[in-house]
Amino acid sequence: MEEKSHLPKSVINIWRIYGVIELVIFGLILIVLFISSLIWSWPLWVCGILLVIFVLYSPLRLMLFPKIRWEHFFYEIKGDEIDIQDGIFIIKRTLVPIVKIQKVYISQGPLLKKIT
């Protein structure tokens, strides 16, 4: 049996950068919602609840989730199949038979190009 392989540890920092981008977008939506609440007299408790969620979710998204995701992600190339496991709360395992693979497309976004 082959040994399970992990992604390089540098992927944790990339996932953290993606988390920062996600949190900035969420924060901007929260600001727009707050301004809309002030303009149209919507209840502010909705913004308060979303702000609490934002404050509690941010450290988890930036510090804890990327490390846990890296620890749970592995791949293993066996003689006749590729075994991939991914997930944090719901662990998904995919077995791909080698004979079924016809083409492999690899793409890299601007963030990965800059870092790698």
Side-chain angles (χ1 to χ4, degrees):
M1 181 160 179
E2 305 285 326
E3 184 176 327
K4 298 176 181 177
S5 301
H6 284 277
L7 294 173
K9 266 204 163 211
S10 61
V11 78
I12 294 173
N13 292 330
I14 294 169
W15 287 336
R16 285 184 178 145
I17 293 170
Y18 286 146
V20 167
I21 294 169
E22 175 186 308
L23 291 171
V24 164
I25 292 170
F26 184 62
L28 290 174
I29 291 171
L30 188 61
I31 290 169
V32 167
L33 183 62
F34 178 72
I35 292 171
S36 299
S37 295
L38 293 177
I39 292 173
W40 290 296
S41 299
W42 294 346
L44 288 176
W45 61 267
V46 175
C47 293
I49 290 174
L50 290 176
L51 182 63
V52 168
I53 291 171
F54 180 78
V55 168
L56 294 177
Y57 178 69
S58 295
L60 295 175
R61 177 66 178 96
L62 295 178
M63 302 309 294
L64 189 62
F65 290 166
K67 186 165 177 26
I68 292 173
R69 183 175 178 195
W70 182 82
E71 289 172 354
H72 284 93
F73 184 92
F74 76 83
Y75 65 93
E76 182 178 3
I77 301 174
K78 301 176 184 177
D80 57 346
E81 66 187 6
I82 299 173
D83 185 4
I84 303 168
Q85 176 178 308
D86 190 18
I88 295 177
F89 298 112
I90 299 172
I91 306 285
K92 183 174 84 170
R93 195 161 180 191
T94 307
L95 296 170
V96 181
I98 296 285
V99 296
K100 294 282 186 180
I101 299 174
Q102 294 180 2
K103 291 183 181 181
V104 177
Y105 293 102
I106 299 173
S107 63
Q108 190 174 16
L111 184 60
L112 282 173
K113 285 182 184 176
K114 179 83 172 160
I115 293 176
T116 57

